[in-house]
Amino acid sequence: MVQGYGTGGFDDPEQIPLLFGEQDADPKKRHMEADKAGDSGVLAGFVQMLQGNLGPGILTLPFVFTQGGVAATSAMLILVLLLTLYSMSLVLRAKRWVHAQALWTNVEESKRPQSFQAVGRELLGANGERVIIVFVALMQLGICMVFFNFAATELIAVEEYYLENRTTDVLINPLNDTFDNEDELYLTKPALIFAVSPLALALSLGKSPTIIVVSATIATAIMYVTVGTILFLVFWHFWSYFPGWHELQVSPLKPTYLPIAFGNLVYTVTTSIGILLPIENSLGPGAKTKYPKIVTAAMLVTLLLDLSVGMLSNIAFGKQTHESITAEFIAKGIGHPDFVIGINVALAVAVLLTYPLQFRPACEVFESAAGVAADIDDDEVRGMALQDGEVKLTTWQKWGYIPLRFVLVMCTAALAAGVPELDLMVALAGSFTACVLALMIPPAMDFAIMRAEGEYPAVRVFLDSTVVLVGILGLVGGTGTTLLKISGVDVDKLLS
């Protein structure tokens, strides 16, 4: 899970966690080897791009498809993915356009603008860069909240199984905190979220990228295995038990849920845009020339995976009543109970291991604003703290990251606990942040390029305007509907 599960945590291409082996300690040596190998980075780029789209979002799709209607949600998924793919092409085009300008043509490539926000600064100015940085930080914190919620959802599914079979005295009730029996202890989802938050905090306090890389690599391996297992169970059940198309019953269109479904789909599909440029920066010249095709291939595979999990699960198993497909497996007795329970626990562990990777970009923003020197090896920090030839930091600069990260972790946990419904948590993160970063910023960059060139091709303007319009509708409609649902408003009654 380079990104995760969500948007990437490393703007420096040398720090991107890889699933297959560790990176060379000498970046120049690694790039020289990549030059000789030519296209050796193609597979690595494809795998990393695909990793960015594997996470909690894909596992909530069956429930989202049930609530929004299988046909309508499938069509919306295809639309969102095509718009995202177009936005990614705009980001890649913007980077190449910036590098081709006279200001940068004679500058070493590694010193040219490489990150999303750096390219945004060149095209949209300092204010545009600030908007990108703020929304990247908000999106990463939103992903962290989803992780807390997802981990608690998986663990609750396990305890619901034991509750049903009366095999344990410690039981979790996701609906309330009342005691049905004085011998039984009920724990709510918020209680579980706060229970796992110390683990996320402990992992997030580490300064070394090695901790993040190792934990993210382990989590990625778990995710590949679990998603593969889920796909096997879906296809096996579909071919073995499907009664026939004439008896097929799927969820009908539910218009009032579509804005929430849109938020979930945007979260699932678009968050990998945050690692789009870092992945390209890590590739050799041979692979870079093929990178647009690599991205297209990875996104099309993502579409097949999402449709397989979301649509085929509804066809194979019927309407989904649980927010996570693995929780649905337990409830419907699909697969051996111990095996499926193991998958649920493994997924909960995986998202918590990936928490530091998603947490890091937000930390950097807040620590920079608060004057905390979390990384004393950073050249800028060393320059600011250099006194008499030695690096001297104040107590706050040296240790301020600890209380700051504690506050951020507990805030994400508290906000996640305040939105116990996983689909609403995902929709809020997707609608409020992903719509801006993936569907509004890239077209804005492209409009800046057209303005600089003094040409406005009709097709290009139409496509860019369409993407922006969808982004605005998703931002306003998705965020508004989700907040209404969270506040307890009966949206169906309100809009009927």
Side-chain angles (χ1 to χ4, degrees), residues 280-350:
E280 183 187 35
N281 297 337
S282 69
L283 302 179
K288 282 184 178 179
T289 60
K290 297 182 177 180
Y291 190 55
K293 295 181 179 179
I294 295 172
V295 172
T296 300
M299 294 303 289
L300 291 178
V301 171
T302 297
L303 175 62
L304 292 176
L305 290 175
D306 290 348
L307 286 175
S308 297
V309 173
M311 182 174 64
L312 288 186
S313 294
N314 275 266
I315 296 175
F317 309 128
K319 295 181 179 180
Q320 310 288 296
T321 58
H322 289 71
E323 297 166 319
S324 168
I325 187 173
T326 50
E328 192 75 18
F329 286 169
I330 294 180
K332 292 186 175 178
I334 299 167
H336 191 281
D338 293 338
F339 179 68
V340 178
I341 286 172
I343 290 178
N344 278 259
V345 174
L347 285 172
V349 172

Side-chain angles (χ1 to χ4, degrees), residues 46 49-50 52-53 80-86 88 268-273 276 292-306:
F46 174 83
M49 197 67 202
L50 189 60
N53 293 320
V80 170
L81 186 131
L82 291 176
L83 294 178
T84 302
L85 194 54
Y86 178 71
M88 288 179 170
T268 303
V269 172
T270 69
T271 46
S272 59
I273 199 170
L276 180 68
K293 295 181 179 179
I294 295 172
V295 172
T296 300
M299 294 303 289
L300 291 178
V301 171
T302 297
L303 175 62
L304 292 176
L305 290 175
D306 290 348

Side-chain angles (χ1 to χ4, degrees), residues 24-65:
D24 197 290
D26 184 354
K28 293 183 179 179
K29 178 181 176 182
R30 185 165 60 81
H31 283 304
M32 289 175 62
E33 293 175 350
D35 291 346
K36 294 178 182 178
D39 295 340
S40 62
V42 171
L43 179 60
F46 174 83
V47 171
Q48 291 181 66
M49 197 67 202
L50 189 60
Q51 285 174 202
N53 293 320
L54 292 180
I58 190 174
L59 301 180
T60 63
L61 287 181
F63 181 78
V64 173
F65 272 62

Side-chain angles (χ1 to χ4, degrees), residues 455-472:
E455 297 180 358
Y456 295 87
V459 174
R460 195 165 154 190
V461 170
F462 173 76
L463 291 175
D464 289 1
S465 301
T466 300
V467 176
V468 171
L469 178 61
V470 172
I472 293 174

Side-chain angles (χ1 to χ4, degrees), residues 133 361-375 380-381 384 393-408:
I133 291 174
C363 276
E364 291 175 347
V365 173
F366 284 95
E367 287 168 359
S368 175
V372 174
D375 184 3
E380 183 178 351
V381 172
M384 292 172 58
L393 300 175
T394 64
T395 301
W396 173 251
Q397 287 177 318
K398 188 174 183 179
W399 301 108
Y401 77 96
I402 295 178
L404 190 59
R405 294 187 184 186
F406 173 81
V407 170
L408 287 175

